[in-house]
Amino acid sequence: MTTAPPGLNSRRLVRLMQASIERCQLDLAGRIVLTEAASGAYAVTAVIAALAGADVYALAAATSYATAQELAAGTADLAGLAGVSGRIQLVQGKTPEIVGAADIVTNSGQVRPIDAATVAAMRPSSVVPLMYESWEHRASDVDLDACRRRGIAVAGTNETHPVVDVFSFLGPMAVKQLHDAGVAVYGSRIAVLCDNSFSPFIADYLRGGGAAVVAGPALTEELLAGQPDAVILALQPGDHDVFAAAEAKLLAEAAPGTILVQFWGDADRAAITGASVPVWPPEAPRRGHMGVLPSAIGPEPVVRLQAGGLKVGELLSRGLHRASREELALVQAL
């Protein structure tokens, strides 16, 4: 049995949730939210919604990493300590009745996919907040065409907005991966292979930690000059591997022994193994998913992101025409 780190203790989680609700001025009174039950840091989602005044359906179905009972217990225990048990109903199925009752349906793990059948059960006044930035949207998560046909609003979360500020945790997440891979960061040479807005947050943080850092959007001999200790792969996923046989061959020949750290972006693990490139993490993340979760460094980024996503749900539900300029800056259109 794994012992939870003390940073995940429930009293601390309640303080973090209350602080995020205050920062976001989150008000879900009178609304019904369908989201997931979870364990660990992600147990906060349903509880944040309830603390903000919503009545919540929390879906607790077995996953590859936890039983339905474990997920239900994680949410129920935290809800009890936060004093909102009466606002959260734990359910085991995404039935049409439950989906149809919800004003806000979050794009959370167990609620996905929000497919055509799910959308058909929703009211046209329902909304779907993506619990990440709009450019990270995966077609397998939410059927946007079905939502548009029914007039259901969908929007992403601006993770760099001051009340959320989740991108500031990308650097610590990269350090966590590097340390786990056996690279000390301080005094190391790190190449950041990144074609998106993650780049400065990762590169600047690593430089602050004493690393010599080069960054670029493509793997080149110039990026590998000087034999880096590690290459952080942070390329936006697409419909194919963004790090494939050609990149594995170049890395093996130009910088033998350099570790490929798969932060984000799909990689051809067979080609990487065939080229004898050391790679971390040992198991490939699911396609389109990150190789390190925000929760790996503690609950803070998760709490901030979930509160921000729920705020987007609130703004969509009450109508964007009623939102302030500062609030609108939190919402990302698709």
Side-chain angles (χ1 to χ4, degrees), residues 107-135:
N107 178 35
S108 301
Q110 291 196 72
V111 183
R112 296 197 295 259
I114 300 177
D115 53 16
T118 303
V119 173
M122 296 170 65
R123 301 196 308 270
S125 59
S126 299
V127 302
V128 178
L130 300 178
M131 309 301 273
Y132 46 58
E133 295 223 333
S134 58
W135 59 279

Side-chain angles (χ1 to χ4, degrees), residues 122-275:
M122 296 170 65
R123 301 196 308 270
S125 59
S126 299
V127 302
V128 178
L130 300 178
M131 309 301 273
Y132 46 58
E133 295 223 333
S134 58
W135 59 279
E136 298 177 72
H137 169 258
R138 297 178 290 265
S140 59
D141 283 2
V142 180
D143 188 330
L144 292 180
D145 289 337
C147 289
R148 287 166 181 150
R149 286 194 296 269
R150 299 214 61 217
I152 293 169
V154 183
T157 304
N158 177 6
E159 296 181 21
T160 62
H161 192 285
V163 302
V164 180
D165 194 23
V166 171
F167 272 33
S168 291
F169 293 90
L170 293 171
M173 289 162 61
V175 168
K176 166 68 172 170
Q177 270 198 307
L178 287 163
H179 284 176
D180 287 349
V183 179
V185 178
Y186 179 79
S188 299
R189 298 178 60 85
I190 310 294
V192 178
L193 176 58
C194 187
D195 62 355
N196 55 74
S197 54
F198 285 6
S199 185
F201 292 92
I202 296 173
D204 290 349
Y205 194 87
L206 294 176
R207 290 188 184 104
V213 180
V214 292
L219 192 71
T220 62
E221 291 185 358
E222 290 76 18
L223 194 71
L224 298 174
Q227 184 82 33
D229 296 285
V231 172
I232 294 179
L233 170 61
L235 297 175
Q236 185 171 347
D239 56 5
H240 61 280
D241 289 327
V242 295
F243 194 99
E247 290 79 14
K249 182 175 184 292
L250 175 58
L251 180 54
E253 293 178 351
T258 293
I259 301 160
L260 179 68
V261 177
Q262 193 174 351
F263 188 88
W264 194 45
D266 301 316
D268 184 339
R269 286 295 184 106
I272 291 166
T273 300

